[in-house]
Amino acid sequence: MTNTWDERYASEEYIYGTEPNSFFREKLLKLRPGKILFPAEGEGRNAVFAATLGWTSYAFDQSIEGQKKAFKLAKQKGVSIQYSVQSLTVWDPLPSEYDCIALIFVHLPEELRQKIHQAAISALKPGGTLILEAFSVNQLQRNSGGPKTAELLFTRGQLETDFAGLIGIDLSEIQVTLDEGPLHRGLAEVIQFTGRKAAE
């Protein structure tokens, strides 16, 4: 799988663009900067944007080509980010480490998805925020991006179950028009989620 993503990210073009995801941008602008993590961050657009706002930005992905492009983008924007090459399958974060975690189009098989979502909750500091946007199962009928198997797409019920331990949950299943590089473009069916970890 690493080779597949390395091949995708090896092109000069940023295949998901260099601007942050719109939903993530909107939500992040409402938060006070702190320490933020981006699992499966790809080419770095969201991590770099967070760094421009004063966040201490950490990211990881299984693709070294994605890491190279993320560092290149950070240099262009005059910021620094921490970015390691690591697979989600071995992610084992320290508890209560981050003020925010962003999962932007992180599509995984059910067992791994549940594991990663629980790890994300654990890794949030008390009072920390989780921001997620992903394609819903309704995206199967569209050609604007995302996996082509239902197992890798999201339902409201899955997120309600996975993140039941969070508070202040805002969950919407909506249509959006994506303009995020050549692989995310056009009318799309997404689920947008935010929630907070209870303060101790």
Side-chain angles (χ1 to χ4, degrees):
M1 183 176 282
T2 301
N3 289 340
T4 300
W5 286 104
D6 279 341
E7 288 169 11
R8 285 194 186 187
Y9 293 145
S11 67
E12 197 66 27
E13 181 178 26
Y14 282 75
I15 61 174
Y16 297 112
T18 57
E19 295 301 313
N21 170 266
S22 295
F23 174 70
F24 166 71
R25 180 183 187 277
E26 173 195 340
K27 296 302 180 183
L28 195 70
L29 287 170
K30 298 176 181 178
L31 301 177
R32 180 183 303 170
K35 192 173 180 181
I36 188 168
L37 176 68
F38 299 86
E41 170 58 359
E43 299 166 305
R45 62 194 176 110
N46 297 306
V48 169
F49 173 72
T52 68
L53 298 180
W55 288 81
T56 303
S57 201
Y58 290 82
F60 69 89
D61 196 279
Q62 61 186 340
S63 170
I64 193 167
E65 295 297 333
Q67 182 197 48
K68 289 176 185 175
K69 289 171 87 170
F71 284 147
K72 180 181 176 182
L73 182 61
K75 186 175 181 180
Q76 289 172 358
K77 298 290 186 180
V79 297
S80 63
I81 61 173
Q82 306 292 320
Y83 190 125
S84 61
V85 177
Q86 175 186 329
S87 170
L88 279 166
T89 58
V90 297
W91 182 44
D92 186 22
L94 294 173
S96 303
E97 185 77 5
Y98 301 98
D99 298 286
C100 184
I101 294 177
L103 294 165
I104 306 299
F105 296 112
V106 180
H107 292 269
L108 303 165
E110 181 176 10
E111 187 175 341
L112 182 57
R113 185 200 80 233
Q114 292 171 346
K115 176 189 171 187
I116 294 306
H117 288 176
Q118 288 306 304
I121 293 171
S122 173
L124 279 175
K125 293 179 182 179
T129 300
L130 189 137
I131 303 171
L132 180 150
E133 182 170 71
F135 292 110
S136 80
V137 290
N138 297 325
Q139 179 67 6
L140 278 176
Q141 63 188 321
R142 303 202 179 276
N143 296 312
S144 48
K148 297 304 178 188
T149 56
E151 185 202 11
L152 296 176
L153 298 169
F154 285 76
T155 66
R156 289 180 63 99
Q158 287 171 344
L159 292 178
E160 287 169 348
T161 299
D162 288 359
F163 294 116
L166 298 180
I167 63 172
I169 287 173
D170 186 4
L171 177 60
S172 301
E173 190 169 359
I174 62 170
Q175 288 184 344
V176 297
T177 301
L178 294 177
D179 184 15
E180 301 184 332
L183 294 191
H184 278 184
R185 184 166 290 153
L187 191 63
E189 310 283 343
V190 302
I191 294 182
Q192 298 176 336
F193 174 94
T194 57
R196 285 183 294 109
K197 190 171 183 177
E200 290 181 346

